[in-house]
Amino acid sequence: LKPKVQAFKLLRVLLLYLPMHNTALRQDAAMSVYTELNLQDMQDFTKQFDFGALKSFQGVEAGVENTTYFVSFDQAETVLQIFEEQGFDEIPFFIELNRRLSEDQVPVATPLANRSGDRLFTIKGKPAALFQRIQGSTISPISVEACGQMGEALGRMHAATQRYTDLRRENHRWNQWWESNVERVIDLVPEEHRTTLEQQIIRSREFVDASVSLPQGIIHGDLFCDNALFHGGQLAGIIDFYNACDGCLLFDLAVTINDWCSTPTGRLDADKTTALFNQYHALRPLTDEEISHWPRAVETAALRFWMLRLVALARKREGGPKAPPHVKDPKDFLVILVARHADPQCDLISA
């Protein structure tokens, strides 16, 4: 990714997860705090937990959808999230997913319960949850060692979520979504690559049809390098599970490898890819059928995020209160897609 984008990502996660040192009781407002809480509101909410006295709380400028507060107790550092878009029927999935993953030794932010064992709360009529605060930050540049740690964590996660057969959430950004948005974004695609998009839609439909016979589970769906925090050179936690859903595990692996292991030319870095794949494969071995579908999987992963950024660009052009303030460059994933067409580098994920 471009240096300015990397710097923005790093700043965003540093703001969200580095520990607070100010122990004075205070409230600091922030641009992304859509639901404002005063001292009395926070005291009323936090008195149901056994973490000692409330020391401080701070609104956090992070993301464009949810309200986030750092909440510091005598005995715990936590993150309060108030969900502005999702309803009460959606949030239990995310809470339960993180709870189970934490129990299965996957490094995630643990959802915290009150004295009654509740993890889903209501704040000013909106669903909310309190999470353990992860100490760490994103890393840049991405090292081979970091890729290996991510492969191990993702392999452990996928091995676990294959067992979560009672935990279900539909993938709302699968082929029906990107196919329905082609006309909306086609004029934003460079003219020489409009055929690339149209042809990839057909190629990815073939993968989607084939993927139903491949191993399934709960996927992260957005495991980019800015959704992983490191501390002291070690992976401290995976964050931002709000795209998690039922899905093809190979697709999730392809999404991760495309982001963590791609060079500026779009090709995969051999050492990073091998490190990530080998650690993943040791915990969740790929089948021969999965390996045979690798070319279409990495193409489809690139298409998904090319379309995601194109749609964001279209929404910004269309304006309105929900128009995104910042749009990442769609070209990043066009470059990756073109590179995968030229050579999917199947030798790097051979068992």
Side-chain angles (χ1 to χ4, degrees):
L1 293 177
K2 296 180 179 179
K4 287 185 178 179
V5 176
Q6 286 282 27
F8 175 79
K9 285 185 170 187
L10 179 58
L11 177 60
R12 178 177 72 87
V13 179
L14 283 169
L15 284 169
L16 183 56
Y17 286 96
L18 283 177
M20 291 184 294
H21 298 288
N22 187 350
T23 58
L25 188 60
R26 71 184 190 279
Q27 175 198 7
D28 296 332
M31 288 174 59
S32 294
V33 174
Y34 304 106
T35 301
E36 294 190 5
L37 303 182
N38 60 32
L39 176 58
Q40 187 62 57
D41 294 330
M42 192 62 77
Q43 288 175 332
D44 290 343
F45 172 72
T46 56
K47 65 185 180 182
Q48 62 188 302
F49 299 94
D50 284 327
F51 302 138
L54 173 66
K55 293 199 307 182
S56 64
F57 66 103
Q58 178 182 10
V60 180
E61 183 182 354
V64 295
E65 292 183 354
N66 298 324
T67 291
T68 302
Y69 284 91
F70 291 154
V71 184
S72 180
F73 296 84
D74 280 337
Q75 301 169 20
E77 296 291 339
T78 68
V79 176
L80 170 64
Q81 286 210 303
I82 303 172
F83 301 95
E84 305 290 344
E85 299 291 334
Q86 293 101 335
F88 282 92
D89 58 332
E90 296 181 84
I91 304 307
F93 169 85
F94 302 117
I95 293 175
E96 181 64 10
L97 175 61
N98 276 270
R99 186 193 69 78
R100 293 190 192 185
L101 288 174
S102 181
E103 287 187 349
D104 283 326
Q105 305 305 307
V106 179
V108 299
T110 306
L112 302 172
N114 64 8
R115 295 187 191 92
S116 301
D118 302 319
R119 291 181 173 85
L120 176 62
F121 310 102
T122 302
I123 296 179
K124 295 193 173 183
K126 301 172 183 178
L130 190 70
F131 294 91
Q132 169 198 19
R133 190 171 178 184
I134 299 172
Q135 182 179 352
S137 63
T138 57
I139 59 171
S140 181
I142 302 299
S143 66
V144 172
E145 182 180 7
C147 288
Q149 292 181 44
M150 178 47 59
E152 178 181 357
L154 185 61
R156 189 179 304 279
M157 173 186 157
H158 284 174
T161 67
Q162 283 185 288
R163 304 192 304 269
Y164 303 167
T165 55
D166 60 323
L167 202 57
R168 306 259 65 89
R169 184 174 185 253
E170 183 182 354
N171 187 344
H172 297 290
R173 286 179 174 164
W174 204 218
N175 65 304
Q176 298 93 335
W177 175 81
W178 62 63
E179 289 176 14
S180 68
N181 276 290
V182 171
E183 290 187 10
R184 186 181 184 185
V185 304
I186 193 66
D187 65 312
L188 297 171
V189 177
E191 190 169 349
E192 66 271 23
H193 285 295
R194 291 176 186 175
T195 301
T196 303
L197 175 59
E198 292 165 352
Q199 291 179 346
Q200 186 57 53
I201 292 289
I202 297 171
R203 292 158 71 101
S204 289
R205 192 178 300 146
E206 296 171 0
F207 172 73
V208 168
D209 291 342
S211 70
V212 297
S213 66
L214 302 179
Q216 305 284 308
I218 302 297
I219 64 174
H220 185 283
D222 190 25
L223 192 43
F224 283 25
C225 55
D226 62 337
N227 284 328
L229 307 179
F230 287 77
H231 182 67
Q234 298 299 310
L235 178 63
I238 298 170
I239 62 172
D240 196 359
F241 278 85
Y242 302 116
N243 286 293
C245 59
D246 303 339
C248 171
L249 302 181
L250 179 66
F251 172 77
D252 208 26
L253 175 62
V255 167
T256 307
I257 285 179
N258 269 350
D259 185 67
W260 285 74
C261 305
S262 292
T263 67
T265 67
R267 283 185 58 80
L268 293 174
D269 179 284
D271 293 337
K272 291 179 182 179
T273 305
T274 301
L276 197 155
F277 174 77
N278 285 348
Q279 292 298 318
Y280 178 94
H281 187 72
L283 290 168
R284 212 285 294 179
L286 266 65
T287 66
D288 291 341
E289 186 179 9
E290 284 181 292
I291 292 173
S292 72
H293 285 291
W294 177 252
R296 290 292 187 270
V298 283
E299 290 174 8
T300 301
L303 171 67
R304 154 81 174 266
F305 287 92
W306 186 24
M307 283 296 298
L308 192 66
R309 293 184 179 185
L310 286 168
V311 169
L313 198 60
R315 288 173 55 210
K316 185 175 182 179
R317 177 178 62 182
E318 293 157 6
K322 293 188 177 181
H326 307 288
V327 178
K328 298 173 184 176
D329 191 350
K331 183 181 178 182
D332 294 337
F333 281 95
L334 172 58
V335 169
I336 290 174
L337 179 58
V338 170
R340 298 296 172 273
H341 283 170
D343 181 7
Q345 298 174 263
C346 297
D347 57 305
L348 301 180
I349 56 97
S350 299

